[in-house]
Amino acid sequence: TQLLEQSPQFLSIQEGENLTVYCNSSSVFSSLQWYRQEPGEGPVLLVTVVTGGEVKKLKRLTFQFGDARKDSSLHITAAQPGDTGLYLCAGDLNFGNEKLTFGTGTRLTIIP
Amino acid sequence: NAGVMQNPRHLVRRRGQEARLRCSPMKGHSHVYWYRQLPEEGLKFMVYLQKENIIDESGMPKERFSAEFPKEGPSILRIQQVVRGDSAAYFCASSPYTGNNSPLHFGNGTRLTVT
């Protein structure tokens, strides 16, 4: 059973386009994190959202935590080739980050 | 300020051998976590340790797997009598404290291949 479903699994778009990836669950999370992972490397934390409805911006990336804290989205504006990578969401069920539940990821390719 | 260091980066073992994976957390971090990433799957939590203590090992297989984080030295994930299904990338992460806003810093992983 996959607690966190990410969609789409793969996404390939042209440079300059906008995109949204989704992270959905039937469970309520105390917080949710988004990571980016490059081939051969470990995940790198992009953002943590904690409050239902919270929106955080990181340059061209906008992260939103659902009101019920069961889902999240990542929106990228004017995608660049440097945005290419595997995007992972990870939820914390226990208010402690000790045992994060990871989604299977969205593999994003930006075509120059 | 060095990040989380894992070694070796790649490890090849034959079935039945032992695999020892090492993780040195970031300086000042006393919380260590091990995750496993199978091909085409997400990361799965294995174990959470603090210095000299296993706090949560609910994600560890009951047999052949063990982990430690001694007072001195790196954290070790040990897999005895490896089987082909153990082939995966094993990631270690560390944090300075626990809580919702505690940032997790991941190493670059050890890729274990069992032949």
Side-chain angles (χ1 to χ4, degrees):
Chain A
T1 305
Q2 184 62 34
L3 271 182
L4 272 175
E5 297 283 347
Q6 286 191 243
S7 61
Q9 198 174 348
F10 298 93
L11 182 58
S12 184
I13 64 169
Q14 293 289 139
E15 181 178 357
E17 292 184 356
N18 301 333
L19 67 108
T20 303
V21 299
Y22 300 92
C23 175
N24 294 298
S25 176
S26 56
S27 299
V28 176
F29 292 99
S30 59
S31 68
L32 195 137
Q33 301 178 355
W34 283 92
Y35 291 82
R36 188 170 123 191
Q37 187 178 16
E38 305 282 358
E41 298 182 9
V44 175
L45 179 66
L46 296 174
V47 78
T48 301
V49 285
V50 178
T51 307
E54 183 176 2
V55 176
K56 281 193 174 177
K57 288 184 184 287
L58 189 66
K59 296 184 182 177
R60 293 175 294 99
L61 278 60
T62 302
F63 304 85
Q64 183 158 11
F65 202 11
D67 291 340
R69 290 189 281 125
K70 292 182 179 182
D71 53 83
S72 181
S73 64
L74 158 59
H75 182 79
I76 302 179
T77 305
Q80 305 291 314
D83 296 328
T84 293
L86 178 66
Y87 288 82
L88 298 163
C89 65
D92 172 22
L93 290 165
N94 301 313
F95 292 93
N97 271 359
E98 288 90 12
K99 193 160 56 179
L100 290 176
T101 300
F102 277 83
T104 49
T106 293
R107 194 165 295 279
L108 176 64
T109 303
I110 308 301
I111 304 164
Chain B
N1 186 18
V4 176
M5 303 300 291
Q6 289 188 249
N7 67 81
R9 287 298 307 273
H10 299 275
L11 182 61
V12 179
R13 283 288 178 264
R14 281 205 279 269
R15 274 182 300 170
Q17 291 185 318
E18 178 180 289
R20 291 172 70 89
L21 287 61
R22 293 175 190 78
C23 168
S24 296
M26 283 185 72
K27 190 176 179 181
H29 288 195
S30 58
H31 302 261
V32 165
Y33 315 81
W34 286 92
Y35 284 79
R36 176 164 65 174
Q37 188 173 37
L38 292 165
E40 304 307 319
E41 291 188 21
L43 285 94
K44 296 280 193 279
F45 168 82
M46 297 182 76
V47 62
Y48 161 46
L49 311 102
Q50 293 181 27
K51 281 286 185 182
E52 299 185 275
N53 289 306
I54 297 174
I55 308 301
D56 184 341
E57 57 181 347
S58 57
M60 288 272 273
K62 294 285 185 281
E63 295 175 351
R64 304 187 297 107
F65 284 71
S66 62
E68 62 177 13
F69 188 17
K71 189 176 179 183
E72 302 290 338
S75 175
I76 306 285
L77 179 67
R78 184 177 174 215
I79 311 173
Q80 295 178 288
Q81 298 170 359
V82 295
V83 300
R84 287 227 173 95
D86 297 333
S87 295
Y90 291 83
F91 289 94
C92 169
S94 72
S95 67
Y97 49 85
T98 60
N100 268 346
N101 289 315
S102 172
L104 275 188
H105 298 264
F106 280 86
N108 284 331
T110 292
R111 275 143 193 86
L112 172 65
T113 302
V114 180
T115 62

